[in-house]
DNA sequence: CCCGGAACCTGAAGGC
DNA sequence: TGCCTTCAGGTTCCGG
């Protein structure tokens, strides 16, 4: 599941290859990837120069001129390939650039999207702060969390509160911070918020350094796997022993999502 | 405003 | 063995 570290890894891989060139054309073997706006909406990007490739939360943004942008979201099983042979199946979109590069969007479950934004502001504004930005402080995170009475696990997954965290890294951050996933967001103490702030940044930073986690289908644009999952303590580890205390990792449901945690370290 | 749940989607996994 | 059901989770939408 591509989350912030995976999308950031992809961004770093494709940015130097396509920034400065223009969008020559987009073909859609699966038109539904363009969503309600339809495939025609993407034509507005043709001929526009990609100034830079940005990431906001889990969104990959090919920034064009005048705050326009082509925005890709990989959702559950999406992947972007740049150097690998084109697969026979599951190719949903191919973006071709003036310098000859071809970005191939493959997606088994067809939940991913490609959208053209004539103005990126609405998208950027509705997303919460970037967890790794310096302007996210323990205080500002605490204020956001205090405004909700949902389980802290659900708060971490809410892209309006923090942008980019998904199920794996939410579990890892909560374990590192020693916080039970069902703890009501507004009941967290200042100490817990500070631990969580630190844990989120640590977990995401380490994962980027490992080029993301390839527990499932995630691959780098060159087809390689990331190794961040080797450092996981709880995510997808039901029955394994907690590396800190030896207790068996448990899995409960929080808002219909699997939540892995250590019942001893996170109580 | 706030929260919970359904829907979207396909393949893997589990039950009988 | 094979059919059927459930589950996986990011996001949006709908209803209480």
């Amino acid at each position: 599941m591509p989350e912030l570290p995976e999308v950031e890894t992809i961004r770093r891989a494709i940015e130097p290859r396509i920034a400065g060139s223009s969008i020559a054309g987009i073909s859609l073997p699966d038109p539904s990837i363009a969503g309600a706006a339809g495939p025609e909406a993407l034509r507005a990007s043709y001929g526009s120069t990609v100034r830079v490739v940005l990431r906001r939360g889990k969104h990959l943004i090919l920034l064009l001129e005048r705050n326009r942008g082509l925005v890709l979201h990989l959702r559950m099983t999406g992947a972007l390939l740049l150097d690998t042979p084109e697969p026979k199946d599951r190719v949903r979109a191919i973006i071709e650039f003036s310098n000859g590069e071809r970005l191939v969007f493959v997606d088994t479950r067809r939940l991913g999207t490609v959208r053209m934004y004539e103005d990126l502001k609405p998208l950027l504004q509705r997303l919460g702060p970037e967890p790794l930005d310096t302007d996210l402080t323990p205080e500002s995170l605490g204020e956001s969390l205090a405004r909700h009475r949902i389980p802290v696990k659900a708060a971490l997954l809410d892209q309006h509160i923090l942008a980019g965290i998904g199920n794996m890294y939410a579990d890892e951050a909560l374990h590192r911070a020693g916080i039970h996933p069902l703890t009501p967001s507004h009941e967290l103490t200042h100490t817990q918020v500070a631990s969580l702030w630190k844990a989120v940044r640590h977990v995401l930073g380490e994962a980027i350094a490992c080029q993301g986690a390839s527990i499932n289908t995630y691959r780098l644009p060159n087809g390689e796997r990331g190794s961040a999952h080797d450092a996981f303590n709880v995510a997808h580890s039901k029955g394994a022993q907690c590396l800190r205390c030896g207790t068996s990792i448990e899995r409960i449901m929080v808002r219909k999502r699997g939540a892995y945690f250590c019942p001893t370290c996170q109580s």
Side-chain angles (χ1 to χ4, degrees):
Chain A
M1 325 300 160
E3 303 179 25
L4 187 156
E6 289 74 30
V7 179
E8 177 61 23
T9 299
I10 293 167
R11 188 196 71 75
R12 293 179 184 184
I14 69 176
E15 145 100 343
R17 303 278 296 273
I18 62 176
S21 65
S22 63
I23 294 173
I26 303 175
S27 62
L28 299 176
D30 177 7
S32 70
I33 196 173
E40 303 75 22
L42 301 183
R43 302 184 71 90
S45 69
Y46 290 10
S48 294
T49 299
V50 178
R51 317 198 103 160
V52 66
V53 181
L54 306 174
R55 179 196 54 72
R56 265 292 271 136
K58 302 167 192 169
H59 300 261
L60 198 59
I61 302 172
L62 311 196
L63 181 65
L64 310 176
E65 74 289 349
R66 294 191 307 277
N67 212 33
R68 297 161 73 238
L70 197 59
V71 179
L72 317 183
H73 199 300
L74 304 174
R75 292 282 172 87
M76 306 292 299
T77 53
L80 293 176
L81 306 178
L82 203 49
D83 294 311
T84 58
E86 201 169 300
K88 292 182 182 61
D89 302 319
R90 297 162 193 166
V91 175
R92 310 304 178 195
I94 300 167
I95 305 174
E96 297 184 284
F97 298 87
S98 58
N99 63 357
E101 298 283 11
R102 289 163 53 87
L103 198 55
V104 179
F105 193 142
V106 296
D107 185 8
T108 299
R109 286 171 59 182
R110 304 173 60 216
L111 292 168
T113 56
V114 179
R115 280 192 58 184
M116 178 64 193
Y117 282 77
E118 291 300 328
D119 180 8
L120 289 167
K121 197 179 291 177
L123 168 68
L124 300 180
Q125 280 184 342
R126 73 165 186 262
L127 289 172
E130 284 292 322
L132 295 175
D133 270 5
T134 49
D135 57 358
L136 180 81
T137 63
E139 291 73 26
S140 64
L141 177 62
E143 285 168 21
S144 299
L145 293 173
R147 269 185 244 121
H148 301 269
R149 40 188 62 231
I150 54 178
V152 61
K153 170 71 186 285
L156 289 178
L157 294 178
D158 187 333
Q159 303 299 299
H160 307 281
I161 297 175
L162 270 187
I165 298 176
N167 212 35
M168 296 183 301
Y169 295 106
D171 284 350
E172 288 302 317
L174 287 171
H175 178 259
R176 186 170 181 85
I179 298 171
H180 194 289
L182 285 174
T183 309
S185 171
H186 69 293
E187 287 181 9
L188 293 171
T189 65
H190 289 301
T191 307
Q192 285 179 311
V193 170
S195 298
L196 186 55
W197 175 84
K198 209 168 165 183
V200 163
R201 293 162 72 96
H202 176 91
V203 164
L204 295 177
E206 288 291 302
I208 291 172
C210 294
Q211 302 191 101
S214 288
I215 277 186
N216 290 323
T217 58
Y218 163 75
R219 294 292 183 277
L220 272 67
N222 62 9
E224 290 176 6
R225 299 165 64 92
S227 63
H229 52 284
D230 292 339
F232 281 177
N233 284 298
V234 289
H236 293 101
S237 305
K238 186 184 178 185
Q241 290 190 330
C242 174
L243 295 178
R244 191 179 302 161
C245 74
T247 307
S248 280
I249 300 304
E250 289 186 9
R251 179 177 184 269
I252 58 174
M253 298 306 281
V254 178
R255 297 275 206 99
K256 298 277 185 185
R257 298 280 156 69
Y260 300 86
F261 74 109
C262 169
T264 300
C265 296
Q266 301 170 254
S267 52

